[in-house]
mmCIF file of all heavy atoms in Angstrom:
data_model
loop_
_atom_site.group_PDB
_atom_site.id
_atom_site.type_symbol
_atom_site.label_atom_id
_atom_site.label_comp_id
_atom_site.label_asym_id
_atom_site.label_seq_id
_atom_site.Cartn_x
_atom_site.Cartn_y
_atom_site.Cartn_z
ATOM 1 N N LEU A 193 94.504 90.388 135.830
ATOM 2 C CA LEU A 193 94.647 90.966 134.437
ATOM 3 C C LEU A 193 93.483 91.864 134.108
ATOM 4 O O LEU A 193 92.330 91.434 134.274
ATOM 5 C CB LEU A 193 94.764 89.851 133.403
ATOM 6 C CG LEU A 193 95.217 90.178 131.941
ATOM 7 C CD1 LEU A 193 95.844 89.001 131.309
ATOM 8 C CD2 LEU A 193 93.982 90.574 131.092
ATOM 9 N N ARG A 194 93.839 93.132 133.793
ATOM 10 C CA ARG A 194 92.686 94.049 133.545
ATOM 11 C C ARG A 194 92.925 94.735 132.141
ATOM 12 O O ARG A 194 94.015 95.140 131.855
ATOM 13 C CB ARG A 194 92.737 95.189 134.677
ATOM 14 C CG ARG A 194 91.506 96.026 134.703
ATOM 15 C CD ARG A 194 91.492 96.882 135.980
ATOM 16 N NE ARG A 194 92.678 97.750 135.982
ATOM 17 C CZ ARG A 194 92.811 98.914 135.337
ATOM 18 N NH1 ARG A 194 91.757 99.369 134.626
ATOM 19 N NH2 ARG A 194 93.884 99.653 135.404
ATOM 20 N N VAL A 195 91.863 94.769 131.456
ATOM 21 C CA VAL A 195 91.897 95.306 130.059
ATOM 22 C C VAL A 195 90.938 96.484 129.967
ATOM 23 O O VAL A 195 89.865 96.502 130.449
ATOM 24 C CB VAL A 195 91.392 94.241 129.022
ATOM 25 C CG1 VAL A 195 91.282 94.862 127.663
ATOM 26 C CG2 VAL A 195 92.258 93.029 129.017
ATOM 27 N N GLU A 196 91.495 97.628 129.446
ATOM 28 C CA GLU A 196 90.744 98.777 129.172
ATOM 29 C C GLU A 196 90.820 99.217 127.745
ATOM 30 O O GLU A 196 91.901 99.402 127.238
ATOM 31 C CB GLU A 196 91.216 99.950 130.227
ATOM 32 C CG GLU A 196 90.335 101.077 130.186
ATOM 33 C CD GLU A 196 90.795 102.108 131.206
ATOM 34 O OE1 GLU A 196 91.514 101.766 132.189
ATOM 35 O OE2 GLU A 196 90.508 103.342 131.064
ATOM 36 N N VAL A 197 89.634 99.434 127.112
ATOM 37 C CA VAL A 197 89.724 99.789 125.695
ATOM 38 C C VAL A 197 89.919 101.269 125.527
ATOM 39 O O VAL A 197 89.330 102.057 126.199
ATOM 40 C CB VAL A 197 88.405 99.350 124.965
ATOM 41 C CG1 VAL A 197 88.416 99.709 123.542
ATOM 42 C CG2 VAL A 197 88.123 97.855 125.163
ATOM 43 N N LEU A 198 90.791 101.612 124.704
ATOM 44 C CA LEU A 198 91.119 103.026 124.365
ATOM 45 C C LEU A 198 90.364 103.471 123.080
ATOM 46 O O LEU A 198 90.083 102.653 122.195
ATOM 47 C CB LEU A 198 92.646 103.267 124.117
ATOM 48 C CG LEU A 198 93.607 102.499 125.130
ATOM 49 C CD1 LEU A 198 94.995 102.533 124.639
ATOM 50 C CD2 LEU A 198 93.420 103.317 126.485
ATOM 51 N N SER A 199 89.996 104.726 123.076
ATOM 52 C CA SER A 199 89.185 105.216 121.887
ATOM 53 C C SER A 199 90.234 105.628 120.731
ATOM 54 O O SER A 199 91.155 106.334 121.050
ATOM 55 C CB SER A 199 88.394 106.450 122.258
ATOM 56 O OG SER A 199 87.441 106.045 123.207
ATOM 57 N N THR A 200 90.003 105.133 119.584
ATOM 58 C CA THR A 200 90.919 105.421 118.471
ATOM 59 C C THR A 200 90.218 106.205 117.325
ATOM 60 O O THR A 200 88.946 106.126 117.233
ATOM 61 C CB THR A 200 91.466 104.134 117.890
ATOM 62 O OG1 THR A 200 90.435 103.399 117.348
ATOM 63 C CG2 THR A 200 92.198 103.287 118.897
ATOM 64 N N MET A 201 91.029 106.760 116.491
ATOM 65 C CA MET A 201 90.526 107.530 115.339
ATOM 66 C C MET A 201 89.822 106.590 114.330
ATOM 67 O O MET A 201 88.851 106.949 113.713
ATOM 68 C CB MET A 201 91.697 108.244 114.754
ATOM 69 C CG MET A 201 91.321 109.331 113.793
ATOM 70 S SD MET A 201 92.664 110.549 113.596
ATOM 71 C CE MET A 201 93.929 109.559 112.825
ATOM 72 N N THR A 202 90.327 105.379 114.284
ATOM 73 C CA THR A 202 89.830 104.416 113.241
ATOM 74 C C THR A 202 88.716 103.534 113.807
ATOM 75 O O THR A 202 88.055 102.876 112.996
ATOM 76 C CB THR A 202 91.035 103.519 112.814
ATOM 77 O OG1 THR A 202 91.471 102.890 113.950
ATOM 78 C CG2 THR A 202 91.986 104.172 112.023
ATOM 79 N N GLY A 203 88.520 103.575 115.088
ATOM 80 C CA GLY A 203 87.533 102.586 115.686
ATOM 81 C C GLY A 203 88.216 101.224 115.952
ATOM 82 O O GLY A 203 87.531 100.344 116.393
ATOM 83 N N GLU A 204 89.473 101.081 115.590
ATOM 84 C CA GLU A 204 90.185 99.858 115.945
ATOM 85 C C GLU A 204 90.263 99.790 117.475
ATOM 86 O O GLU A 204 90.302 100.819 118.143
ATOM 87 C CB GLU A 204 91.608 99.920 115.458
ATOM 88 C CG GLU A 204 91.772 99.661 113.916
ATOM 89 C CD GLU A 204 93.166 99.934 113.437
ATOM 90 O OE1 GLU A 204 93.479 101.179 113.211
ATOM 91 O OE2 GLU A 204 93.960 99.078 113.253
ATOM 92 N N LYS A 205 90.238 98.518 118.063
ATOM 93 C CA LYS A 205 90.194 98.449 119.458
ATOM 94 C C LYS A 205 91.613 98.243 119.952
ATOM 95 O O LYS A 205 92.128 97.136 119.846
ATOM 96 C CB LYS A 205 89.311 97.300 119.954
ATOM 97 C CG LYS A 205 87.854 97.312 119.374
ATOM 98 C CD LYS A 205 87.142 98.581 119.658
ATOM 99 C CE LYS A 205 85.702 98.504 119.156
ATOM 100 N NZ LYS A 205 85.141 99.852 118.732
ATOM 101 N N LEU A 206 92.199 99.235 120.476
ATOM 102 C CA LEU A 206 93.547 99.162 121.082
ATOM 103 C C LEU A 206 93.286 99.266 122.585
ATOM 104 O O LEU A 206 92.477 100.034 123.087
ATOM 105 C CB LEU A 206 94.412 100.342 120.678
ATOM 106 C CG LEU A 206 94.882 100.385 119.194
ATOM 107 C CD1 LEU A 206 95.721 101.517 118.935
ATOM 108 C CD2 LEU A 206 95.522 99.082 118.816
ATOM 109 N N CYS A 207 94.042 98.445 123.306
ATOM 110 C CA CYS A 207 93.757 98.348 124.748
ATOM 111 C C CYS A 207 95.037 98.637 125.624
ATOM 112 O O CYS A 207 96.157 98.437 125.156
ATOM 113 C CB CYS A 207 93.289 96.924 125.082
ATOM 114 S SG CYS A 207 91.909 96.423 124.053
ATOM 115 N N GLU A 208 94.729 99.071 126.828
ATOM 116 C CA GLU A 208 95.745 99.005 127.875
ATOM 117 C C GLU A 208 95.552 97.705 128.695
ATOM 118 O O GLU A 208 94.387 97.426 129.070
ATOM 119 C CB GLU A 208 95.513 100.249 128.813
ATOM 120 C CG GLU A 208 96.530 100.302 129.875
ATOM 121 C CD GLU A 208 96.188 101.359 130.982
ATOM 122 O OE1 GLU A 208 95.162 101.153 131.767
ATOM 123 O OE2 GLU A 208 96.863 102.412 130.977
ATOM 124 N N VAL A 209 96.534 96.974 128.834
ATOM 125 C CA VAL A 209 96.456 95.752 129.552
ATOM 126 C C VAL A 209 97.345 95.773 130.766
ATOM 127 O O VAL A 209 98.563 95.943 130.611
ATOM 128 C CB VAL A 209 96.822 94.517 128.697
ATOM 129 C CG1 VAL A 209 96.616 93.235 129.447
ATOM 130 C CG2 VAL A 209 95.956 94.510 127.441
ATOM 131 N N THR A 210 96.715 95.681 131.950
ATOM 132 C CA THR A 210 97.556 95.823 133.207
ATOM 133 C C THR A 210 97.613 94.402 133.838
ATOM 134 O O THR A 210 96.686 93.679 133.959
ATOM 135 C CB THR A 210 96.825 96.720 134.214
ATOM 136 O OG1 THR A 210 96.481 97.906 133.534
ATOM 137 C CG2 THR A 210 97.829 97.064 135.370
ATOM 138 N N PHE A 211 98.906 94.029 134.171
ATOM 139 C CA PHE A 211 99.157 92.719 134.802
ATOM 140 C C PHE A 211 99.535 93.100 136.239
ATOM 141 O O PHE A 211 100.568 93.708 136.495
ATOM 142 C CB PHE A 211 100.342 92.064 134.157
ATOM 143 C CG PHE A 211 100.106 91.648 132.667
ATOM 144 C CD1 PHE A 211 100.295 92.580 131.638
ATOM 145 C CD2 PHE A 211 99.704 90.377 132.328
ATOM 146 C CE1 PHE A 211 100.093 92.208 130.300
ATOM 147 C CE2 PHE A 211 99.506 90.018 131.054
ATOM 148 C CZ PHE A 211 99.713 90.906 130.015
ATOM 149 N N SER A 212 98.686 92.679 137.235
ATOM 150 C CA SER A 212 98.902 92.881 138.625
ATOM 151 C C SER A 212 99.190 91.501 139.264
ATOM 152 O O SER A 212 98.215 90.888 139.679
ATOM 153 C CB SER A 212 97.869 93.674 139.263
ATOM 154 O OG SER A 212 97.543 94.785 138.517
ATOM 155 N N GLY A 213 100.429 90.980 139.219
ATOM 156 C CA GLY A 213 100.717 89.750 139.834
ATOM 157 C C GLY A 213 99.942 88.607 139.106
ATOM 158 O O GLY A 213 99.377 87.732 139.821
ATOM 159 N N VAL A 214 99.930 88.632 137.849
ATOM 160 C CA VAL A 214 99.196 87.539 137.051
ATOM 161 C C VAL A 214 100.067 86.304 137.036
ATOM 162 O O VAL A 214 101.257 86.338 136.634
ATOM 163 C CB VAL A 214 98.967 88.017 135.644
ATOM 164 C CG1 VAL A 214 98.365 86.840 134.795
ATOM 165 C CG2 VAL A 214 98.016 89.167 135.632
#
Side-chain angles (χ1 to χ4, degrees):
Chain A
L193 191 150
R194 196 169 57 84
V195 175
E196 192 176 333
V197 180
L198 311 168
S199 296
T200 63
M201 198 156 64
T202 53
E204 287 167 280
K205 308 302 181 212
L206 293 180
C207 307
E208 180 191 72
V209 181
T210 313
F211 296 83
S212 311
V214 173

